[in-house]
Amino acid sequence: MKNKIVLVLAALSYAPITVAGDKDLYPTERVAEFIVEKLDVTSLPAALRPKKEKGKRTFADYGFTAQGMNEAETIIQAAGGMRKLSIKVLDQRPSGIYVCVTEPGEIAGQAKMQSVFLLKRNDSNALLKGRESWREFTSCPVVGAVEKDSE
């Protein structure tokens, strides 16, 4: 019985350390720059990411550069200007960062594809993984989504 109490006390003493460590997972400033550096591009849907190549995972690995970056928004452009993506931070929580990823259309001001993604990571050394979010933002309506048949 005494050993069980010691184990429980030891486990509880480590809990504040693990909770405090979560605060370092996401920055509060220069969030767009953080996303550009730490996003695992291969976790995005095939329509938005470059073709997968062995050993490449970040925008920098694929030769993308940031254009016009500010605190919460940036435009990422592929080498040669062949491809552009806009990333806008919508909301930031301890559970992750909600972003709007847009691929501009051929007509100025129109989006070819746009969707909300939740970016998360497991620890402060891991890359951000993105997955489409169910959460909706008025500033980022879904564009270019495949509609389901209602049969």
Side-chain angles (χ1 to χ4, degrees), residues 26-35 70-72 89 92 97:
Y26 310 106
T28 55
E29 296 177 354
R30 303 175 75 179
V31 180
E33 181 178 340
F34 170 75
I35 292 168
N70 65 31
E71 281 288 317
V89 177
Q92 189 171 351
I97 303 169

Side-chain angles (χ1 to χ4, degrees), residues 21 80 103 121:
E103 182 175 10
R121 66 182 186 168

Side-chain angles (χ1 to χ4, degrees), residues 51-70:
K51 184 180 175 188
K52 286 187 179 183
E53 294 181 33
K54 188 175 182 176
K56 294 185 177 185
R57 297 184 66 190
T58 65
F59 283 118
D61 293 342
Y62 282 99
F64 280 76
T65 55
Q67 310 286 320
M69 186 181 304
N70 65 31

